[in-house]
Every structure is written in structure tokens, then in C-alpha cells.
Amino acid sequence: MNKEQLDLMKNGQGFIAALDQSGGSTPKALVQYGICEDAYDNDQAMFDLVHEMRTRIMTSPSFTGEKILGAILFEQTMDRKVDGQYTADYLWSKHIIPFVKVDQGLAKQENGVQLMKPLDKLPDLLKRANERGIFGTKMRSNILELNEKGIAAVVEQQFQVAKEILAAGLMPIIEPEVNIHAVDKEAIEEVLKKELLRGLESLGEGQQVMFKLTIPSKANLYQELVNHPKVVRVVALSGGYPVDQANELLAQNHGIIASFSRALVQDLNVEQSDKEFNESLGQAIESIYQASIK
């Protein structure tokens, strides 16, 4: 693990840009960007278009390490190039720490949650991540209902995989998303915090992880996680909130920084001129940055 990147992630100011839309969410991301599904006729063409979108974002003069600490990539993006460099190398040249999404999607809902599908590609993916200069990983589960058994299963699975990732020398971001529309969201988050603290105690000496969590209904609920010696950083997902609302809620939670996807790119469009695109992206970056450094 790169010690310079670890120190920056622990102590730097800024946020993490989530650019990791995968096969299932890529069509929606392209539609939001102004590219309809009839603009491509196969997956390869779709992924080429989304890489063009991500390249436009990453090469923008607004997208720098001055306000962005890290970026989460889709697996294919890790293996592609930006301005002649592998994506992770390009990002680090701008002092942005590269992460890669490693989960393979969600299983069917059971006990009020969706666990991750079996990560059968993980060993190879971790090997390639190390070869490509990746610092860490991200993996998402989904919590929809107040079910203690289900929430415990989500956290147990996340920590089990996190230990494999740590053994490979990479930093895991554990992401047990709580659906923002869940009826018992606040109660779910109380149970989740208890399980996450239990999971931290299962880590070995010197092991640390990161968390990516839905912005809690109760401000500063996760302060104990923020201050925990086994936690490098707690970051927040936007969860479907528009950027202004996400920033407002985030600013109420001391020590948590953003890791936004939709809220970051919601005003970008393929038809924008470079000037319009860079101004729009710059405004989003500035607003998310200010909410993250409050």
C-alpha cells in the first residue's frame, strides 16, 4: 500500500469522486449525460461511450487533487487509458488516489437486505489492481428494511471480503448502503453502527478500513466510527439525493467527507461546450468540497 497515498487519505482535505457505474447502471448514467440507448448497439460501444464521459471528467481542469482526494473506478476503467496513461497513473499524476469497484452486483433481497453476489473474480481483480497502481477497493451491499439478522449478515460479509483485500495490500472501502427511502432508516442506522463497531474489533493489529455510508438521519451518528483508530476515513454516498440536499445533509456530519456519483455529474451533458462542461463540473466540485471540509 502506497504510504504517501495512505497519509493523504487520512489527513487530506477534499472528497472522493465515484465514477464506478457498472454494466447495470451505465445506461442510466449515459441517459443522464444525454446519450440515449439507441446511440449504441452492444456493450462494447456502451462502455466506450461511458469511458469517453469519464475521460472528459478526469481531464477537466476542474478535476484536480486540490479538492478531490480520490476517485472510484469501474474495473474496465482501471484497464483503460487516459491521455496515454493507465487511468490510475493518470489520476495519481493529479494527486488523486485511485480506487476500484470490486463487487459483482447484488443478490436477491433476503431478510430485508441484498448481500453481494459471490466475488469469484476477486483474486484476479486484486492482482490486476496492484499491477495497475490502485490504492484501494469499494464494494456495495444494500439495506432496505429493519432486520437485525439481515444487517448483521451484510456487515459480516463485508468484513470477510475486506480481510482478503487487506491481505492483498489494498485498502477496502466497506459500503453497506441504507436505502434513503427505508421506512425505519434511523433505526436501521443504529443497528448498522453497532454491527460495524463489532466488525472493527475483528480486525487484526494494525489493520484499518474505510466506510462509505448513507448520510445518517441523525446527525453525527457515525462520529464513533470517524474517530475509531481502525478507520482511515468515513465517506458518504449521495444515495439519490440531489446535490444541494446531499451537501446540506453532509455538512451536518462532522468528519465525514463526500463520495458522490449522481450528485457530482447530474448537471453534465454531452452537448455542452468544454467551457460549459468545465464550469458545471467545477461548480459541483466546489459545492461538494465545501460540504466535505465544514
Side-chain angles (χ1 to χ4, degrees):
M1 191 178 299
N2 184 308
K3 300 299 182 186
E4 183 183 357
Q5 292 176 343
L6 178 61
D7 183 65
L8 179 59
M9 184 50 61
K10 282 182 177 179
N11 303 308
Q13 287 196 330
F15 68 94
I16 297 176
L19 304 174
D20 58 328
Q21 298 92 348
S22 56
S25 56
T26 297
K28 288 182 181 178
L30 286 173
V31 167
Q32 184 182 33
Y33 184 53
I35 298 177
C36 298
E37 291 190 44
D38 59 8
Y40 52 89
D41 54 12
N42 56 58
D43 285 352
Q44 183 61 47
M46 177 184 74
F47 286 124
D48 287 345
L49 286 168
V50 81
H51 187 67
E52 288 175 15
M53 179 188 78
R54 290 167 176 153
T55 297
R56 194 179 186 192
I57 291 168
M58 288 184 282
T59 57
S60 169
S62 303
F63 198 87
T64 72
E66 183 181 350
K67 294 177 180 175
I68 300 169
L69 276 177
I72 304 171
L73 308 175
F74 177 49
E75 176 185 349
Q76 280 199 24
T77 311
M78 174 183 74
D79 291 323
R80 289 178 181 248
K81 293 186 176 182
V82 176
D83 269 8
Q85 300 181 74
Y86 282 111
T87 305
D89 295 332
Y90 177 79
L91 288 171
W92 186 232
S93 75
K94 300 179 90 169
H95 296 286
I96 297 172
I97 300 167
F99 293 81
V100 66
K101 174 187 183 297
V102 295
D103 67 80
Q104 294 172 232
L106 298 170
K108 291 182 179 179
Q109 183 176 336
E110 186 176 353
N111 294 322
V113 304
Q114 289 177 285
L115 296 173
M116 296 181 287
K117 290 180 179 177
L119 281 76
D120 50 27
K121 292 166 52 179
L122 187 64
D124 174 67
L125 185 47
L126 297 180
K127 180 176 180 290
R128 284 166 45 226
N130 274 309
E131 291 169 352
R132 291 283 181 258
I134 295 290
F135 170 75
T137 66
K138 190 216 78 164
M139 50 193 174
R140 172 179 172 264
S141 311
N142 193 25
I143 302 172
L144 300 130
E145 297 174 3
L146 179 58
N147 184 306
E148 293 194 15
K149 181 179 178 181
I151 296 168
V154 160
V155 174
E156 181 181 5
Q157 183 191 39
Q158 284 275 353
F159 272 92
Q160 181 181 16
V161 178
K163 290 169 186 175
E164 292 183 52
I165 292 163
L166 286 166
L170 297 166
M171 173 60 61
I173 299 179
I174 290 171
E175 183 185 6
E177 177 175 351
V178 177
N179 189 286
I180 63 171
H181 303 297
V183 174
D184 299 303
K185 180 173 178 288
E186 186 170 344
I188 290 169
E189 289 163 346
E190 292 283 359
V191 174
L192 177 61
K193 183 178 85 164
K194 179 187 70 175
E195 293 296 334
L196 292 175
L197 287 167
R198 181 179 296 158
L200 288 170
E201 294 311 309
S202 75
L203 293 177
E205 183 70 27
Q207 290 187 322
Q208 294 179 303
V209 297
M210 294 174 61
F211 290 124
K212 181 169 178 174
L213 305 172
T214 305
I215 304 170
S217 296
K218 181 181 177 183
N220 292 312
L221 174 70
Y222 295 131
Q223 197 64 43
E224 197 172 350
L225 299 176
V226 171
N227 297 332
H228 200 288
K230 292 184 177 179
V231 177
V232 172
R233 209 80 194 237
V234 178
V235 306
L237 57 102
S238 53
Y241 292 122
V243 65
D244 290 343
Q245 187 178 4
N247 286 336
E248 182 181 343
L249 293 169
L250 176 63
Q252 298 170 18
N253 290 271
H254 181 71
I256 298 180
I257 64 172
S259 177
F260 292 171
S261 174
R262 281 165 289 186
L264 174 65
V265 302
Q266 66 179 25
D267 295 324
L268 304 181
N269 191 279
V270 66
E271 298 297 335
Q272 289 171 322
S273 67
D274 286 345
K275 182 174 184 293
E276 292 169 333
F277 181 93
N278 293 330
E279 285 179 354
S280 183
L281 179 60
Q283 288 168 3
I285 287 171
E286 179 63 26
S287 67
I288 297 169
Y289 174 77
Q290 291 299 330
S292 293
I293 65 168
K294 72 287 172 189

